[in-house]
Amino acid sequence: MAVSSNFLLFSASLLFFMVSPSIQASFRPKALVLPVSKDASTNQYVTQIKQRTPLVPVKLTIDLGAQSLWVDCEQNYVSSTYKPARCNSAQCNMARSKACGTCFDGPKPGCNNNTCSLLLSSTKVATSGEVAQDVVAVQSTDGKSSGKVVSVFKFLFTCGSTFLLDDLASGVKGMAGLGRSKISMPSLFSSAFSFPRKFAICLGSSNGVIFFGDGPYSFLAFNIDISKSLIYTPLILNPVSTAPASFEGDPSSDYFIGVTDISINEKPVALNKTLLSINKEGHGGTKISTVTPYTVLETSIYKAVVRAFIKEIPSIPRVPAVAPFGACFNSKGIGFSRVGPGVPTIDLVLPNKVIWRIFGFNSMVQVKKDVLCLGFVDGGLEPTTSIVIGGHQLEDNLLQFDLAASRLGFSSSLLFRQTTCANFNFTSAA
């Protein structure tokens, strides 16, 4: 590719970045930022990057546990800087690809000979796709507002198929993989710009934000830097993949935490504790998911939590359940506070007596007028993962994933601090 003299190129590992000509040669972003919106029809969290040459906007569903960015290459993928990853190349090794082959319908994006591939999935279906690289552009940030647009020149991603979009939000062309892998978006951005291997998500019921890099993570209202007051717990590596499709021997790219107990109104719930640990098959434990709308619990855990919750609010009338929920209530008798409906708190107890406390805003879902349901779902008797913390329980909580230290920092509800995840100051790109 011929590079204009108006652009400066810097190498970083296998990656290179270009910056706007208005930025001084010494400019290197300390962090990046992406806007997040919630799609009402699917409950998916959606962001947007720019990709290709010339750059075009690409909407993506956010998948916290996916190993890479993937984009539909079958429909209207046109770019002069697209380059497939050749078999046995450094890019294929970095992607830990175990498949290499030919494609007879090309050459074109997603279909080239002598290229490696990865398994990838949407929320319901899976396939394989060509590993490739192209330009990706996002906004930089100082943690207080969005700033200049910067680009990664050779950003690794996977080419997906159009049918994978069927169960994704309207207008989405792929998924933003933020998982535990060397080719996830957080890993590639930190490699390209040499900033800490950290990222943070702050999802909202309407809008939110993703930060790549360290804090500050500041929000309007009181200009609070949330990174200064996080509670930390270790991230646990599951050695067995929990993806819908994987190769034997692949570790999980999901983020697991060590829930040891659940309490309702600070009273422990009787649980089968063996379900809370990850066994040698990779089953059990607790992971965090942005593509699961509501927290899903293994059946025995679900029944125990629902029984304990109902026991704590005997005066609130039950009403017929509304799918997918199993416990619903007449909300006329429930008061409201800054952190939502006045219902019993639900505590996820973590190692060293650390508590992730879930208040009414995150535990309850208003399904219709005067009806509130406990926003947890029965996951069946033998799910792969015993507890999957879903999007609704994450909203207006900031979560920082420190990949280098293998720890999760979480804020608890931002509503207590009179701000929300929608309050980051996005300004137009310079």
Side-chain angles (χ1 to χ4, degrees), residues 271-292:
L271 303 174
N272 177 357
K273 297 293 183 66
T274 59
L275 295 170
L276 302 180
S277 300
I278 300 169
N279 66 22
K280 61 183 180 181
E281 287 83 32
H283 295 175
T286 300
K287 74 175 185 179
I288 304 169
S289 172
T290 56
V291 293
T292 304

Side-chain angles (χ1 to χ4, degrees), residues 19-79:
V19 296
S20 158
S22 63
I23 304 174
Q24 295 180 356
S26 60
F27 177 78
R28 190 181 281 246
K30 293 183 178 179
L32 309 173
V33 68
L34 287 176
V36 177
S37 61
K38 187 175 183 179
D39 178 72
S41 63
T42 61
N43 285 323
Q44 293 171 8
Y45 302 95
V46 176
T47 190
Q48 182 172 285
I49 62 171
K50 289 187 176 179
Q51 191 200 37
R52 310 170 200 178
T53 303
L55 288 170
V56 296
V58 180
K59 284 179 68 175
L60 303 164
T61 291
I62 298 162
D63 188 349
L64 178 65
Q67 66 176 327
S68 74
L69 164 68
W70 72 258
V71 174
D72 174 20
C73 291
E74 291 182 348
Q75 283 191 330
N76 305 317
Y77 194 105
V78 179
S79 176

Side-chain angles (χ1 to χ4, degrees), residues 51 58-60 63 66 68-73 120-123 157-165 168 172-177 185:
Q51 191 200 37
V58 180
K59 284 179 68 175
L60 303 164
D63 188 349
S68 74
L69 164 68
W70 72 258
V71 174
D72 174 20
C73 291
L120 64 148
S121 63
S122 62
T123 59
F157 72 105
T158 311
C159 269
S161 302
T162 304
F163 76 88
L164 292 172
L165 306 178
L168 301 183
V172 160
K173 298 301 180 186
M175 300 187 84
M185 295 180 75

Side-chain angles (χ1 to χ4, degrees), residues 157-412:
F157 72 105
T158 311
C159 269
S161 302
T162 304
F163 76 88
L164 292 172
L165 306 178
D166 290 348
D167 56 330
L168 301 183
S170 176
V172 160
K173 298 301 180 186
M175 300 187 84
L178 308 180
R180 254 181 124 141
S181 89
K182 290 183 179 179
I183 59 165
S184 69
M185 295 180 75
S187 294
L188 294 180
F189 282 135
S190 67
S191 294
F193 298 113
S194 301
F195 54 60
R197 293 178 58 219
K198 300 178 181 180
F199 72 99
I201 63 171
C202 201
L203 308 177
S205 55
S206 56
N207 296 303
V209 60
I210 300 173
F211 300 95
F212 297 99
D214 208 347
Y217 309 133
S218 294
F219 293 83
L220 298 173
F222 297 97
N223 200 29
I224 304 165
D225 177 11
I226 304 301
S227 70
K228 300 296 186 187
S229 55
L230 298 177
I231 306 161
Y232 293 98
T233 192
L235 288 169
I236 298 170
L237 177 64
N238 186 337
V240 182
S241 176
T242 44
S246 63
F247 291 107
E248 187 175 351
D250 285 348
S252 176
S253 55
D254 280 306
Y255 295 98
F256 283 76
I257 56 173
V259 172
T260 59
D261 222 329
I262 299 176
S263 296
I264 310 290
N265 266 356
E266 302 186 24
K267 299 173 184 176
V269 177
L271 303 174
N272 177 357
K273 297 293 183 66
T274 59
L275 295 170
L276 302 180
S277 300
I278 300 169
N279 66 22
K280 61 183 180 181
E281 287 83 32
H283 295 175
T286 300
K287 74 175 185 179
I288 304 169
S289 172
T290 56
V291 293
T292 304
Y294 306 100
T295 293
V296 179
L297 306 174
E298 182 273 342
T299 291
S300 69
I301 299 174
Y302 173 80
K303 289 180 176 178
V305 167
V306 169
R307 276 196 306 268
F309 188 87
I310 292 170
K311 186 178 178 181
E312 290 298 311
I313 48 172
S315 62
I316 305 300
R318 296 277 302 278
V319 299
V322 178
F325 310 115
C328 297
F329 306 87
N330 186 328
S331 63
K332 287 182 178 178
I334 299 175
F336 281 76
S337 71
R338 184 184 296 170
V339 288
V343 296
T345 56
I346 300 174
D347 290 346
L348 303 180
V349 183
L350 298 159
N352 301 314
K353 298 182 180 179
V354 170
I355 300 293
W356 179 336
R357 179 156 291 172
I358 300 171
F359 296 93
F361 175 83
N362 295 108
S363 66
M364 306 301 289
V365 179
Q366 180 143 15
V367 294
K368 54 186 175 181
K369 189 176 187 296
D370 296 331
V371 177
L372 281 170
C373 295
L374 182 62
F376 292 72
V377 177
D378 186 344
L381 281 171
E382 293 185 355
T384 302
T385 304
S386 300
I387 300 174
V388 181
I389 303 173
H392 182 72
Q393 280 67 42
L394 304 177
E395 289 181 359
D396 290 322
N397 287 251
L398 183 137
L399 276 64
Q400 183 197 62
F401 297 83
D402 185 336
L403 305 180
S406 194
R407 69 176 184 172
L408 171 73
F410 59 96
S411 66
S412 195

Side-chain angles (χ1 to χ4, degrees), residues 53-129:
T53 303
L55 288 170
V56 296
V58 180
K59 284 179 68 175
L60 303 164
T61 291
I62 298 162
D63 188 349
L64 178 65
Q67 66 176 327
S68 74
L69 164 68
W70 72 258
V71 174
D72 174 20
C73 291
E74 291 182 348
Q75 283 191 330
N76 305 317
Y77 194 105
V78 179
S79 176
S80 63
T81 46
Y82 177 92
K83 185 178 179 183
R86 300 299 178 186
C87 296
N88 302 314
S89 65
Q91 290 91 340
C92 294
N93 291 334
M94 187 176 177
R96 296 180 59 144
S97 170
K98 296 179 182 178
C100 203
T102 58
C103 184
F104 301 106
D105 196 28
K108 61 183 179 181
C111 181
N112 292 275
N113 286 329
N114 190 35
T115 56
C116 63
S117 61
L118 288 176
L119 296 171
L120 64 148
S121 63
S122 62
T123 59
K124 295 179 182 176
V125 290
T127 187
S128 63

